Amino acid sequence: MEALLRGGRKGLGTPHRHYRSTDSTNTRARELAAAGATHGTVVTADEQTAGRGRQGRSWTAPAGKALLYSAILRPLDRRHLLLPLAVPLAVCEGAEELESGLECRIKWPNDVWVGESKLAGVLIEAKPQDGWAVIGVGLNLAILPHEFPSELREKATSLSGDASPEQARHALDRSLDRWVEADAGAILAAWRSRDALKGRGVSWNEGTGVAEGISDAGDLLVLSASGERVVLGAGEVHLRV
Ligand code: BTN
């Protein structure tokens, strides 16, 4: 029998549609959501030919070596205002369940890091007027250093390859089920405990400064080089550490 969550809602992962190859699982999931697909529908692929990242970037991974995952969340309501913070928490917990001893941190707003390298990325695409969001996650599972594009080699990392995409999908279904329903206090506390930037120098389009943590709305708080307190929203800035 399918797992039922608080309020009688079905968990993520049912139904599940898998592609050997598709342009982008987020694009497939958005089409399904627009056509009325139910909450919890998950799309995965072995390979993407036009995987998308945040801020117009592309996302690539060798076939079968990453979890390429998109889930439909609906209906959207006020509880989901902190979804961009809740999703990387779920990815951290899912990854830590797959590999013992792993410790994930989050680089604002939602990159998942191990040490100083990126293990997973999150792309959330929402249509609030229609009441749905697609949660896209790319989690590197078995990618060897030389398999990353040369410009990412220093900045990207992967799990060791022991976990299959299937195991990773189930772990993420479960951890997302917990975190998308979590209350704001729990999300903020857990996110702050994994903050990879706090106390570090950062630069963005218009300045440099030291990251001081996040506000209760999920914005990044920075003390700028000129001594001003700056509030950065995720949509607006290209951040460099
Ligand atoms: C980022 O770090 O810029 C976000 C990367 C998100 C990549 C995932 S892979 C599965 C899903 N489908 C996409 O086209 N993008 C997301």
Side-chain angles (χ1 to χ4, degrees):
M1 206 172 80
E2 279 162 12
L4 291 182
L5 303 175
R6 223 171 6 153
R9 190 150 127 130
K10 265 192 318 166
L12 293 178
T14 310
H16 169 227
R17 186 175 288 198
H18 182 75
Y19 292 85
R20 193 189 59 73
S21 177
T22 190
D23 51 358
S24 155
T25 56
N26 261 37
T27 303
R28 294 283 81 74
R30 285 174 61 154
E31 287 168 359
L32 289 170
T38 52
H39 171 81
T41 301
V42 165
V43 178
T44 55
D46 289 338
E47 181 180 30
Q48 296 181 128
T49 54
R52 292 185 285 109
R54 290 183 58 247
Q55 299 185 315
R57 289 185 288 257
S58 62
W59 180 269
T60 59
K65 297 193 166 196
L67 175 67
L68 306 169
Y69 174 105
S70 301
I72 296 173
L73 176 68
R74 78 188 324 161
L76 275 185
D77 58 45
R78 289 191 57 75
R79 280 173 313 163
H80 301 124
L81 286 174
L82 293 181
L83 198 59
L85 304 184
V87 173
L89 286 169
V91 178
C92 286
E93 284 192 0
E96 288 169 356
E97 188 186 316
L98 295 169
E99 202 147 302
S100 67
L102 189 77
E103 284 182 19
C104 295
R105 294 182 306 150
I106 305 170
K107 177 193 163 240
W108 180 86
N110 45 30
D111 285 352
V112 173
W113 273 13
V114 174
E116 294 295 307
S117 306
K118 180 164 166 173
L119 175 69
V122 171
L123 176 66
I124 299 172
E125 299 182 296
K127 200 155 181 206
Q129 66 274 32
D130 292 346
W132 56 258
V134 165
I135 298 169
V137 176
L139 168 62
N140 300 330
L141 298 176
I143 306 179
L144 298 170
H146 73 268
E147 294 176 308
F148 288 110
S150 54
E151 68 279 10
L152 295 183
R153 216 156 282 163
E154 301 293 306
K155 300 182 198 156
T157 190
S158 170
L159 296 186
S160 63
D162 290 343
S164 68
E166 185 81 351
Q167 288 169 319
R169 172 168 67 85
H170 289 305
L172 188 57
D173 285 341
R174 288 191 298 268
S175 58
L176 275 171
D177 273 336
R178 290 193 296 275
W179 281 108
V180 298
E181 302 293 337
D183 63 47
I187 294 170
L188 289 164
W191 200 102
R192 286 172 174 140
S193 75
R194 292 186 185 267
D195 186 347
L197 289 189
K198 193 167 180 188
R200 295 183 65 170
V202 295
S203 64
W204 65 103
N205 321 19
E206 282 145 34
T208 60
V210 175
E212 291 195 310
I214 55 166
S215 71
D216 287 354
D219 294 321
L220 183 68
L221 306 172
V222 178
L223 182 61
S224 78
S226 57
E228 268 176 287
R229 290 238 138 69
V230 183
V231 180
L232 300 176
E236 305 152 30
V237 290
H238 280 281
L239 188 75
R240 294 167 294 276
V241 184

